[in-house]
Amino acid sequence: MMMFLAGTVASILAGVTVVHALNNGVARLPALGYNTWNAYACNIDENIILETASLMKSLGLQDVGYNHVNLDDCWAEKNRSAEGLLVPNTERFPSGFNNLTAQLHDMGFQAGIYGDSGWFTCAGYAGSFDHESIDAQTFQDWGFDYLKYDNCYIPFDDIIREGTYGKYQRMADAIANLSVTTGKEPLIYSLCEWGWSQVWIWGSSVGNSWRIDGDIAANWDSIASIINFDSFITQSSNFYGHNDMDILEVGNGDLTYEENKSHFTAWALMKSPLLIGTNLSAASPEIIEILSNREILAISQDNVVGTSISPFRWGINADWTSNSSYPAQYWSGPSENGTVFMLLNTLNESANLFFNLTESPWIRAGRQYSVRDLWTHTDNGTAVRNFTATDVLAHGVVALLLRDAGDEPAEIYPPCSVWYDCAAENGTDPDT
């Protein structure tokens, strides 16, 4: 566990240059869709892609907003063509990519592909270093709308002569220039850089989303660690630029039902891209129900507020504590329709989670708030001054939407919900 003093963290963040998001006309909101890697790794082909797209339609996932189907690594032949072009694997994609993307588009989906900023992809296929312009053109010619761009097999320093930022900027420039010359929308550009070079600081000037941490695993330890990391950088996510917490593992591995809910809730409310990594043909109705929570997805896709929720109190740890096993528990943020709260039980046993409403900066003192539970889909009365979520299961979550419901009841005592330095008009303590 790592402890940070609040003043130290404030000093660090004060020195961070605020970069405006890449407003290039695409990816204003976090992407919703499917990515092949977690379910299939290299075992992909055109039949799997089309079957997955069909399942997304039949299971109702497209209806709730999932509109991307993205290939990951291993789609190519090992070597480029004699003309220096990338080539789809002829056994796995015998019909070619123009046919595949046309079918996806006809089904109402956007199509995504994978590339790498180095000599090779992470699985050893041809990378795009020094081929950025021709590869961007190729991806567009094939009909793709989205590019996930990885960071393996980095050229030696005396060849690249630039840092990670510059290496990713090369493809960003190629995409921007291609859009200018063709008049078509630029590819959505997703940086898969793992966060080792503080990509969350500069990513918004280069791409539409950026990976903040290592590859996710289908267990609670991995999910908790990623939530912990993102708790310190939520300010870098907004319209057109999103902290990418990696592919959704909902329904995979040994995750419990409550852990799946917490995983999905955190990714959605923290405005990460939501790319399903589950084999949909084997997904249970409970998993599809989690992925289809319209009220949670509405926060992810809020057209008025693009910012992530942020912690207002860490909970079992002192504020500004970095703890990969026990991340912040109390989160909130604004939305078009009210203040969103996420209460996360990071303990291995059930717990009550209590907070004073005005601990959230988005809540006004002296007001009462209607309470909407975004998982039970019920209106649960009115909260005055504080709220307690009782018996939240281990690794479970409560997601709430609080709406202003007018002045709190008259003559409520004490006169301040937070007693510290509360004073009457004449400056005296109300109890004196």
Side-chain angles (χ1 to χ4, degrees):
M1 182 174 72
M2 186 179 298
M3 296 290 293
F4 292 119
L5 295 175
T8 302
V9 173
S11 297
I12 293 171
L13 294 180
V16 173
T17 300
V18 177
V19 180
H20 295 291
L22 180 68
N23 183 353
N24 62 350
V26 296
R28 182 174 183 270
L29 300 174
L32 306 183
Y34 191 91
N35 180 282
T36 59
W37 185 258
N38 290 22
Y40 299 104
C42 280
N43 300 313
I44 55 172
D45 58 38
E46 60 187 39
N47 292 327
I48 286 173
I49 303 303
L50 294 173
E51 288 169 5
T52 298
S54 295
L55 283 167
M56 291 175 72
K57 290 179 73 73
S58 64
L59 293 171
L61 293 169
Q62 187 184 54
D63 289 340
V64 298
Y66 293 94
N67 61 357
H68 290 269
V69 178
N70 298 345
L71 288 71
D72 212 281
D73 207 346
C74 308
W75 53 263
E77 296 287 356
K78 284 287 186 179
N79 298 309
R80 292 176 178 269
S81 71
E83 295 76 28
L85 300 174
L86 295 169
V87 181
N89 184 279
T90 54
E91 291 185 7
R92 295 176 180 171
F93 299 95
S95 303
F97 279 155
N98 289 101
N99 180 67
L100 178 64
T101 60
Q103 290 189 68
L104 290 174
H105 291 155
D106 287 346
M107 296 170 74
F109 293 104
Q110 290 194 312
I113 197 166
Y114 169 97
D116 196 284
S117 59
W119 296 120
F120 303 99
T121 72
C122 297
Y125 296 81
S128 290
F129 179 73
D130 214 25
H131 291 80
E132 290 85 2
S133 293
I134 190 62
D135 288 355
Q137 179 74 66
T138 299
F139 298 146
Q140 186 182 84
D141 290 345
W142 281 338
F144 286 103
D145 311 283
Y146 184 113
L147 172 63
K148 175 183 175 180
Y149 206 52
D150 219 330
N151 189 39
C152 288
Y153 295 96
I154 301 168
F156 293 157
D157 290 353
D158 62 352
I159 294 173
I160 193 168
R161 300 194 185 281
E162 56 192 350
T164 305
Y165 172 87
K167 184 158 61 74
Y168 274 86
Q169 185 68 55
R170 293 164 68 107
M171 180 56 83
D173 290 342
I175 291 171
N177 292 336
L178 179 64
S179 179
V180 170
T181 57
T182 64
K184 296 181 179 179
E185 279 194 344
L187 293 165
I188 296 171
Y189 188 31
S190 176
L191 316 181
C192 184
E193 197 280 322
W194 326 315
W196 306 136
S197 68
Q198 295 184 310
V199 64
W200 58 275
I201 295 176
W202 53 261
S204 60
S205 67
V206 178
N208 304 112
S209 63
W210 45 88
R211 278 279 297 280
I212 63 165
D213 209 341
D215 289 349
I216 191 173
N219 59 64
W220 178 252
D221 288 346
S222 176
I223 290 165
S225 179
I226 295 171
I227 292 172
N228 173 67
F229 192 100
D230 200 56
S231 69
F232 296 96
I233 59 172
T234 56
Q235 74 280 2
S236 66
S237 198
N238 207 330
F239 290 133
Y240 297 104
H242 316 288
N243 288 334
D244 182 357
M245 300 165 72
D246 203 10
I247 301 166
L248 286 170
E249 286 279 19
V250 173
N252 289 340
D254 59 359
L255 292 171
T256 67
Y257 178 72
E258 293 302 320
E259 290 168 346
N260 280 313
K261 284 173 57 181
S262 296
H263 173 23
F264 176 77
T265 302
W267 265 236
L269 301 188
M270 294 160 82
K271 304 298 179 80
S272 172
L274 300 178
L275 298 175
I276 300 167
T278 308
N279 183 338
L280 293 178
S281 64
S284 68
E286 290 79 11
I287 294 305
I288 300 303
E289 183 180 21
I290 290 173
L291 293 169
S292 302
N293 186 323
R294 290 179 182 268
E295 294 192 73
I296 298 289
L297 290 171
I299 307 301
S300 164
Q301 301 295 294
D302 192 322
N303 262 307
V304 175
V305 178
T307 52
S308 165
I309 59 169
S310 299
F312 60 84
R313 174 156 51 93
W314 262 247
I316 61 173
N317 295 307
D319 289 352
W320 300 106
T321 300
S322 179
N323 187 327
S324 60
S325 298
Y326 299 97
Q329 295 181 284
Y330 296 88
W331 302 66
S332 70
S335 80
E336 178 181 8
N337 296 309
T339 302
V340 183
F341 285 85
M342 180 176 76
L343 312 178
L344 191 66
N345 180 13
T346 61
L347 300 175
N348 298 323
E349 59 188 14
S350 296
N352 295 339
L353 297 175
F354 167 89
F355 65 97
N356 185 296
L357 298 188
T358 56
E359 289 184 78
S360 166
W362 314 111
I363 292 293
R364 297 165 59 193
R367 309 287 286 179
Q368 58 186 327
Y369 288 82
S370 64
V371 180
R372 175 72 176 179
D373 189 307
L374 303 181
W375 276 109
T376 64
H377 308 297
T378 55
D379 294 318
N380 294 353
T382 303
V384 179
R385 295 201 169 181
N386 57 61
F387 183 89
T388 302
T390 58
D391 296 324
V392 182
L393 296 177
H395 302 167
V397 71
V398 174
L400 306 171
L401 183 66
L402 269 60
R403 296 185 177 96
D404 191 304
D407 289 338
E408 64 184 18
E411 307 302 327
I412 191 170
Y413 188 87
C416 295
S417 60
V418 179
W419 196 248
Y420 173 74
D421 215 20
C422 184
E425 293 177 20
N426 62 4
T428 62
D429 185 315
D431 272 350
T432 60

